Amino acid sequence: MSIASILLRARDPGQGHNLAFGVVAVTLAAVIFCIDTYTDIEGAIAVLYVVSMLLAAQSMTRIGLLVIATGCAALTFLSYAMTHGQEANLQETLRLFGALAALSVTTLLLLKTETARLNLLSTHSALSESEARYRSIFDRTRVALWERDYSKLRSYLMDVRAQGVIDIKAYARVNPTLVDHCGGLIKAVAANQAARELLGPKSSGMGIPQRALIAGQEKFLDMLQAIMDGDRTFEDKVEVQTDDGEDKLVLLSVSLPEDPAAFGRVVVSMVDITQRELALKARAEAQAELTKASRAAMAGAMSASLAHELNQPLGAIVINAQTLLRWLDREPPDLPAVRRSAERMIRDSQRASELIQNARRVLSSPNNDLESVDLGSLIDETVALMEHELQQSKTAVLVDYSPHIPTVSTVKIELQQVLINLMTNAIQAMDEAGCSERSIRITMNQPDIEHICIAVRDTGPGIGDDARDRLFAPFFTTKAAGMGMGLSICRSTLEARGGRLDGTNHPEGGAVFEIQLPIKPEAEHA
Ligand code: ADP
């Protein structure tokens, strides 16, 4: 670091003058010294060193100022010693102190000013740096951004509010020009490259109000309401049209500042969610198709079970009908016995009809109404439905639950399908592994006042290491003829009702799937 850089301020566009000021200050100090020492002019000439200091302040650093001040003080003393050394009187001494005091006060004030100047400079440079950083983010980000001047719009809305208007939508109904008027109060300040790419140069310049929000007036009014209510942000999905006439769905977000003065630069962003929404729609459609397919697969499995179950009452009806004929053929006919046979036939027909109705309920299109479901009966009913499969695979079912479990508000058929799926998976896992001991244990408890847990545990090989992480992923299957949709559908069905489904291996062997259900689903899941 050179002496010049310690004494003089850093180079800047005005540097040439800075050096000149320094030279003039030093020369002036020398001239004042000569006048003070070698002329007979009476008066506090040394006070003029202050002028030298003021000139030096234009170009010197704080150290430079201190050096000049010390130099001027030294010259004052020297001049005093040379002119009044032997015959110093009170008046001359007072003049000396007066000059030194003026020099000290001026130096202190100049040092203070220099410190304030430096602080201002550093604040200014921090501000410019932050502005440059903001600009660079604004220009380079891939999110479409706009800067808009909402100050006039805000003042207008505050005036409207001051007139007692609280609901802007109601106000717009009686003032049909409101939307146009408010749109006109918004001024475009800047749009970044991503904004121009999203909407095209014309539309991005024109901005949101004209092209997007006014098209969907309701949303524009929602934004006006947000400004009136003093909200910090406004966010919504909005349909916009590009320069090429293409419709896009975007997520619009407006950051509303707290400080009314900052409404001159409101940042508005748009994220194109057209593809994402289309993908979500396609996924929902695919899921619905697969749910149908899995329902069809379940229908196949259940019809075997149904045929088997119907065999029993139908066989009994035939036998009772034959018996009834025999009692009728007697001489005389045994009418009380005929009546008993007829009654048994009616009972068996009713049982067959119930079985068919039950199957129809399970297989018919889903009924989405919530009902109060007694889970104990639902489990028993489901086990009865699966009876044929269970018998064929020689699987025992153990059901264990407390009688005090409250009823749950849910869609019965959905829950029944989940249970059928879990039991079918358990049977298949035990079949595939060729397990000698085959049993499914269904337990139910109430872990807290809001939830019920149903666990379906089998004595199969358990969930394989490769399957553990992907168990609920759509299309994940380890079965040759599997679709891999069962667990995924079960989980989304339960989650849609505010429930959960998890699968792990039991420490004593086998897999255990746990359903957690809210006793009363929240409104959004109902
Ligand atoms: P799929 O039955 O068509 O394979 P799922 O989604 O119902 O589809 O099951 C996905 C995979 O989870 C199965 O292929 C199997 O590997 C594993 N899995 C499911 N239930 C069990 C179980 N009880 N025991 C062991 N593995 C199971």
Side-chain angles (χ1 to χ4, degrees):
M1 201 186 278
S2 70
I3 293 182
S5 69
I6 295 172
L7 299 180
L8 291 166
R9 279 189 213 147
R11 286 182 172 275
D12 58 33
Q15 170 57 30
H17 299 291
N18 282 350
L19 191 57
F21 274 119
V23 172
V24 172
V26 172
T27 316
L28 184 67
V31 171
I32 294 167
F33 175 74
C34 292
I35 298 173
D36 198 16
T37 313
Y38 302 113
T39 66
D40 294 333
I41 300 172
E42 290 294 317
I45 299 295
V47 171
L48 293 174
Y49 284 122
V50 166
V51 179
S52 185
M53 287 298 301
L54 290 173
L55 285 170
Q58 304 301 312
S59 65
M60 301 246 156
T61 61
R62 278 177 292 188
I63 296 175
L65 276 177
L66 283 172
V67 169
I68 293 279
T70 316
C72 289
L75 289 177
T76 313
F77 266 121
L78 185 63
S79 174
Y80 177 78
M82 285 169 71
T83 49
H84 314 289
Q86 272 89 44
E87 74 251 25
N89 61 24
L90 183 65
Q91 201 186 353
E92 297 302 333
T93 312
L94 281 177
R95 262 193 212 138
L96 168 73
F97 282 112
L100 288 176
L103 204 58
S104 311
V105 170
T106 310
T107 310
L108 278 177
L109 288 176
L110 289 175
L111 285 176
K112 222 172 137 202
T113 313
E114 178 63 6
T115 309
R117 192 188 67 85
L118 288 176
N119 285 344
L120 205 72
L121 271 180
S122 88
T123 314
H124 177 73
S125 90
L127 211 69
S128 329
E129 214 173 280
S130 136
E131 171 71 21
R133 214 176 312 128
Y134 166 77
R135 271 287 137 228
S136 133
I137 295 172
F138 183 86
D139 288 334
R140 290 201 213 146
T141 180
R142 293 316 301 146
V143 178
L145 292 177
W146 285 262
E147 265 180 19
R148 314 246 133 229
D149 183 349
Y150 278 30
S151 44
K152 282 191 185 152
L153 176 67
R154 185 184 173 278
S155 338
Y156 173 73
L157 290 173
M158 289 303 127
D159 287 349
V160 170
R161 197 188 169 92
Q163 290 163 25
V165 175
I166 299 170
D167 182 354
I168 197 78
K169 283 190 181 162
Y171 186 67
R173 278 195 285 277
V174 284
N175 291 282
T177 56
L178 178 85
V179 170
D180 281 344
H181 178 65
C182 288
L185 292 177
I186 300 175
K187 294 253 167 329
V189 179
N192 71 359
Q193 182 57 28
R196 285 187 284 274
E197 282 168 18
L198 180 69
L199 296 187
K202 203 167 111 222
S203 304
S204 67
M206 234 165 33
I208 294 102
Q210 287 83 348
R211 279 312 269 258
L213 289 178
I214 287 185
Q217 295 206 352
E218 286 291 304
K219 305 220 166 161
F220 184 59
L221 289 170
D222 285 341
M223 191 194 70
L224 299 185
Q225 187 72 53
I227 298 176
M228 265 175 72
D229 295 347
D231 292 351
R232 293 280 75 82
T233 50
F234 169 77
E235 218 171 72
D236 212 338
K237 285 180 193 171
V238 179
E239 269 184 32
V240 291
Q241 212 181 45
T242 67
D243 282 354
D244 312 332
E246 189 190 341
D247 287 330
K248 283 192 173 172
L249 188 68
V250 298
L251 184 68
L252 171 78
S253 165
V254 185
S255 309
L256 299 166
E258 197 171 354
D259 178 9
F263 269 77
R265 256 174 106 171
V266 171
V267 177
V268 176
S269 71
M270 273 192 198
V271 177
D272 188 354
I273 50 169
T274 319
Q275 294 306 322
R276 200 192 73 151
E277 289 291 307
L278 285 177
L280 281 179
K281 209 168 140 217
R283 203 181 78 169
E285 279 169 10
Q287 186 105 358
E289 283 304 313
L290 282 161
T291 309
K292 266 194 225 158
S294 105
R295 192 183 295 278
M298 202 174 73
M302 275 186 55
S303 52
S305 191
L306 184 67
H308 172 80
E309 282 182 68
L310 280 177
N311 250 347
Q312 191 270 330
L314 290 178
I317 290 170
V318 172
I319 292 169
N320 276 311
Q322 286 165 350
T323 321
L324 182 145
L325 286 177
R326 273 205 304 279
W327 293 128
L328 271 181
D329 288 344
R330 285 244 176 129
E331 272 309 326
D334 185 345
L335 291 181
V338 167
R339 166 175 278 275
R340 278 196 303 278
S341 293
E343 279 168 358
R344 277 198 294 271
M345 282 167 68
I346 293 170
R347 189 199 60 199
D348 289 332
S349 321
Q350 275 169 346
R351 163 111 185 92
S353 149
E354 267 170 30
L355 284 171
I356 292 168
Q357 266 177 17
N358 216 1
R360 271 177 63 178
R361 236 181 326 124
V362 175
L363 299 175
S364 63
S365 56
N367 168 13
N368 281 330
D369 292 344
L370 288 188
E371 51 195 310
S372 189
V373 179
D374 172 9
L375 294 178
S377 312
L378 179 84
I379 294 174
D380 294 342
E381 234 177 72
T382 314
V383 172
L385 275 172
M386 296 287 291
E387 206 176 292
H388 179 61
E389 260 86 8
L390 292 166
Q391 268 177 9
Q392 269 206 332
S393 64
K394 299 190 179 59
T395 303
V397 177
L398 287 127
V399 182
D400 181 12
Y401 54 83
S402 134
H404 306 297
I405 301 279
T407 56
V408 166
S409 182
T410 191
V411 181
K412 187 176 168 186
I413 299 301
E414 283 180 1
L415 190 55
Q416 192 159 46
Q417 281 173 9
V418 172
L419 283 172
I420 290 175
N421 234 307
L422 296 182
M423 287 173 71
T424 310
N425 272 350
I427 294 171
Q428 287 174 349
M430 291 186 286
D431 267 354
E432 263 179 32
C435 298
S436 52
E437 190 218 323
R438 297 179 186 195
S439 70
I440 297 176
R441 192 183 173 87
I442 304 176
T443 51
M444 178 164 60
N445 60 43
Q446 187 179 1
D448 56 61
I449 53 160
E450 290 178 348
H451 298 95
I452 302 290
C453 259
I454 304 174
V456 179
R457 183 187 155 196
D458 60 50
T459 51
I463 301 156
D465 286 343
D466 54 333
R468 213 162 292 167
D469 296 337
R470 291 180 291 159
L471 212 52
F472 296 95
F475 303 112
F476 172 75
T477 181
T478 53
K479 299 170 196 166
M483 235 198 324
M485 280 309 295
L487 289 179
S488 155
I489 291 172
C490 287
R491 181 178 258 186
S492 49
T493 305
L494 289 172
E495 281 176 351
R497 302 283 168 209
R500 269 177 31 202
L501 176 64
D502 291 303
T504 47
N505 283 333
H506 194 276
E508 288 164 25
V512 52
F513 284 83
E514 211 171 81
I515 299 169
Q516 197 189 65
L517 284 174
I519 293 174
K520 285 226 174 320
E522 286 173 14
E524 59 180 303
H525 298 119

